[in-house]
Amino acid sequence: MEFQIIWFVLWGVLWAVYFMLDGFVMGAGMLHNIIGRTDGDKRVMINTIGPVWDGNEVWLITAGGATFAAFPTTYALMFSYLYTALLLLLFSLIVRGVSYEFRGKMDGAGWKSGWDMAIMVGNFLPALLFGVAFGNIFKGLPMDATGYHGSLISLLNPYGLVTGILFVCLFLVHGSLYLSVKTVGDLSARSHAFANKLWPALLVVAVVFLGATKFATKLFDNYFNNPALFIIPLLAVAALVGIRVLSAKGNVLGAFAASSVTILTVVATGVVGLFPNLIPSSLDPAYSLTIFNSSSSLYTLKIMTGVAFIFVPIVIIYKIWVYRLFRQRVTEADVMEDTHAY
């Protein structure tokens, strides 16, 4: 297999794992004021994600680093063309991190309500912007030999917005199931009930997204050329239905696992449809950025592959250890007794 293809697969895997892990963090954050009724509820919700949320960013940094090192031309042009949108995304992620750290530093009601709102906004914006960004990548950017002809406003086209809403709905269901698994009592029950109520809306948005994808993008070309690949979107649909079935039976952990598979396979569906493009041109395919015309040298890719085979398993083992160490449910009593809690 060519090294460009190996790194395209790794690039897709890194994004899929990032969205699976940070998806429930964004979902829980968006639900901060919706499910959390008291200060105790909100502290419990923050502490369910407290030990893991910043570690999940490793996958985002690695995905960005892999793009920079393996496909530098794509990285350079993407950050030039989408500079304002990516800056907004970066600021929203900073606001999210700061709000988790600062909310508990003072006891004033105004102080906490301000950071509560920052938590919701700091999680909603990344979810929406990531969806809009990937929707526009799937659709293709208006670029040719003279450069990029779009703007921040043009990124908010109907297909980009549908993809953004899909990401928001996916992460809301994912986050509510995570909260139900990690909490107890009424908070856990409310989180479970929210997931059940939102699932029909997620199904409707997913159907609209699939229909829009057929007409707004060329993602399905690879699938029609190789019908065996349809197993990936079919698995995504099966996992989406599995969320509802398992949740209705009260198997919340199983529903959360199905939600994780849904996110992984939805991202995989888009990445496989893109191949061999990284950013297609919506004006002329001749100006698309592919894994072959924007990759690093073969020597660089070989070195990177060796490094990845050593360090990626270490990161995976470390993440498994962290999630196993903090696998217990979080209660209000735990938060009140722990002076280091958020």
Side-chain angles (χ1 to χ4, degrees):
M1 182 182 291
E2 296 182 60
F3 281 91
Q4 288 93 339
I5 297 175
I6 292 174
W7 274 97
F8 180 77
V9 172
L10 286 173
W11 178 78
V13 168
L14 289 169
W15 279 113
V17 173
Y18 168 68
F19 286 133
M20 179 188 72
L21 293 178
D22 213 25
F24 69 73
V25 175
M26 294 186 216
M30 286 188 278
L31 295 171
H32 187 71
N33 280 350
I34 299 173
I35 291 179
R37 293 177 178 171
T38 65
D39 182 60
D41 284 348
K42 293 172 182 176
R43 288 194 65 191
V44 169
M45 292 169 70
I46 295 174
N47 280 278
T48 61
I49 60 174
V52 297
W53 76 268
D54 47 356
N56 293 341
E57 304 307 301
V58 168
W59 295 95
L60 173 62
I61 295 169
T62 308
T67 309
F68 169 75
F71 308 108
T73 306
T74 293
Y75 181 90
L77 294 180
M78 180 175 67
F79 274 78
S80 298
Y81 295 165
L82 308 179
Y83 182 79
T84 305
L86 293 174
L87 200 61
L88 284 173
L89 178 61
L90 177 62
F91 283 156
S92 59
L93 289 172
I94 291 173
V95 167
R96 180 179 70 164
V98 171
S99 59
Y100 285 141
E101 298 293 340
F102 276 59
R103 184 183 183 277
K105 300 299 183 185
M106 292 176 64
D107 288 328
W111 174 269
K112 289 195 172 182
S113 63
W115 288 117
D116 287 341
M117 186 56 65
I119 288 174
M120 290 189 69
V121 173
N123 282 284
F124 169 74
L125 277 180
L128 180 69
L129 291 173
F130 272 125
V132 170
F134 270 81
N136 278 280
I137 289 174
F138 294 157
K139 181 174 177 288
L141 297 180
M143 56 188 188
D144 57 21
T146 59
Y148 178 59
H149 300 283
S151 66
L152 179 63
I153 300 301
S154 68
L155 294 175
L156 302 177
N157 55 72
Y159 182 72
L161 289 173
V162 166
T163 312
I165 295 170
L166 174 68
F167 272 46
V168 169
C169 291
L170 272 173
F171 295 164
L172 279 171
V173 170
H174 199 42
S176 56
L177 290 171
Y178 176 80
L179 287 173
S180 183
V181 169
K182 289 290 292 181
T183 60
V184 298
D186 188 47
L187 181 57
S188 176
R190 271 185 274 131
S191 301
H192 186 195
F194 184 88
N196 287 335
K197 288 179 182 176
L198 188 63
W199 186 87
L202 170 59
L203 179 64
V204 170
V205 174
V207 170
V208 172
F209 169 76
L210 284 175
T213 298
K214 174 68 174 69
F215 297 103
T217 78
K218 296 181 179 178
L219 288 186
F220 286 137
D221 287 359
N222 284 344
Y223 292 93
F224 287 118
N225 291 333
N226 187 355
L229 294 175
F230 272 110
I231 188 66
I232 301 171
L234 288 176
L235 187 57
V237 172
L240 181 62
V241 174
I243 296 173
R244 180 65 169 182
V245 172
L246 292 167
S247 182
K249 291 181 178 179
N251 184 354
V252 184
L253 184 59
F256 176 71
S259 176
S260 300
V261 173
T262 303
I263 293 174
L264 289 173
T265 48
V266 164
V267 176
T269 299
V271 171
V272 169
L274 270 179
F275 181 85
N277 294 309
L278 288 164
I279 303 179
S281 168
S282 60
L283 301 178
D284 186 339
Y287 298 103
S288 296
L289 296 170
T290 74
I291 62 173
F292 300 109
N293 67 15
S294 68
S295 73
S296 293
S297 67
L298 183 59
Y299 177 76
T300 301
L301 294 177
K302 285 181 178 178
I303 295 293
M304 288 175 58
T305 304
V307 172
F309 272 110
I310 295 172
F311 287 102
V312 170
I314 293 175
V315 173
I316 292 173
I317 292 170
Y318 168 73
K319 294 298 295 182
I320 292 173
W321 176 74
V322 169
Y323 276 90
R324 180 172 174 75
L325 184 65
F326 295 101
R327 65 185 181 279
Q328 295 87 357
R329 291 176 184 258
V330 180
T331 68
E332 193 165 334
D334 295 333
V335 173
M336 297 303 174
E337 293 170 4
D338 186 355
T339 56
H340 298 291
Y342 285 89

